[in-house]
Amino acid sequence: KNQVEQSPQSLIILEGKNCTLQCNYTVSPFSNLRWYKQDTGRGPVSLTIMTFSENTKSNGRYTATLDADTKQSSLHITASQLSDSASYICVVSPSYNNNDMRFGAGTRLTVKP
Amino acid sequence: NAGVTQTPKFQVLKTGQSMTLQCAQDMNHEYMSWYRQDPGMGLRLIHYSVGAGITDQGEVPNGYNVSRSTTEDFPLRLLSAAPSQTSVYFCASSRGYSGNTIYFGEGSWLTVV
């Protein structure tokens, strides 16, 4: 069973609208949670990294939240742009070691004009 | 600054053939790793290295070899290609072993027929 579950699998929104992507995890213990953006045909690019002591982290129009008690994270995208069309991947680590990361399958976001 | 560079971008192999996926980074990062990405699944770690001369296995190492003779290069060798190795391969690097931003290459699409 995957320890990191993302929802929805895919999402279509209109340009300018906001959206929220969800990440639930069962990874334990917990060290840090990352969100990546992956454009079609490209490698993942880091958006945010949060440790257990942080409950929100922003990167421009992207805001990630973390509730370590309920083991949930969300990525909120404000005023979406066509360039936001991509897959968004949630990654959870039980330790600080970079070889110990659990990847979600991603949410595919399509922003339409 | 090129970041993480992978070659080739696309490759078709016949079952039983061998090949090497090349990965180079110009950021003087100690940590390098290889992942594979399959449809509907999260990225899975194949092998990783914490420095020149040091490599270790990840979650799915069977059928792959790596070496790290320099800080910059981390090639991935497929010993005898199988259709199950059809996937997208990503090389990644980070400064240090723990908790830092991980930078991914653009990916190598491999098809084994």
Side-chain angles (χ1 to χ4, degrees):
Chain A
K1 185 182 188 304
N2 196 0
Q3 299 181 49
V4 180
E5 300 286 348
Q6 293 187 241
S7 62
Q9 280 190 322
S10 61
L11 180 64
I12 300 174
I13 63 173
L14 292 176
E15 186 179 12
K17 298 296 187 182
N18 303 336
C19 69
T20 300
L21 313 180
Q22 299 290 343
C23 174
N24 295 339
Y25 62 92
T26 59
V27 176
S28 182
F30 171 81
S31 168
N32 62 78
L33 185 146
R34 311 172 192 228
W35 282 94
Y36 282 87
K37 178 186 179 187
Q38 184 176 21
D39 292 321
T40 300
R42 309 292 294 274
V45 175
S46 179
L47 292 175
T48 61
I49 302 175
M50 291 183 291
T51 65
F52 65 88
S53 61
E54 299 172 292
N55 54 26
T56 187
K57 183 76 69 82
S58 291
N59 179 354
R61 295 180 295 103
Y62 301 100
T63 300
T65 63
L66 172 64
D67 185 334
D69 291 331
T70 62
K71 297 186 177 180
Q72 295 179 324
S73 176
S74 63
L75 181 68
H76 187 73
I77 305 174
T78 303
S80 61
Q81 300 176 359
L82 298 179
S83 59
D84 292 330
S85 294
S87 288
Y88 292 85
I89 301 172
C90 175
V91 186
V92 182
S93 298
S95 71
Y96 283 104
N97 298 331
N98 287 345
N99 69 316
D100 196 14
M101 302 191 298
R102 317 295 162 84
F103 288 78
T107 291
R108 177 69 200 174
L109 174 66
T110 302
V111 180
K112 293 197 169 183
Chain B
N1 190 341
V4 180
T5 302
Q6 291 183 231
T7 57
K9 183 79 170 181
F10 300 98
Q11 182 72 48
V12 178
L13 281 181
K14 294 183 178 179
T15 297
Q17 286 185 320
S18 62
M19 77 156 298
T20 299
L21 300 178
Q22 302 291 344
C23 176
Q25 52 90 9
D26 61 359
M27 298 174 282
N28 200 30
H29 284 172
E30 299 93 335
Y31 181 84
M32 296 186 74
S33 55
W34 277 102
Y35 292 88
R36 60 178 289 172
Q37 186 175 38
D38 299 296
M41 301 179 66
L43 275 76
R44 292 182 291 169
L45 182 64
I46 303 171
H47 285 285
Y48 67 96
S49 169
V50 298
I54 306 170
T55 64
D56 206 344
Q57 296 180 352
E59 180 185 357
V60 289
N62 292 341
Y64 308 94
N65 272 357
V66 292
S67 60
R68 184 96 180 268
S69 57
T70 66
T71 299
E72 295 77 20
D73 300 300
F74 191 45
L76 178 72
R77 282 182 287 277
L78 280 72
L79 308 173
S80 177
S84 61
Q85 293 179 303
T86 294
S87 187
V88 184
Y89 292 86
F90 289 98
C91 180
S93 74
S94 68
R95 179 173 53 85
Y97 182 49
S98 304
N100 296 302
T101 298
I102 296 175
Y103 297 87
F104 286 86
E106 294 290 82
S108 295
W109 273 252
L110 176 66
T111 301
V112 182
V113 298

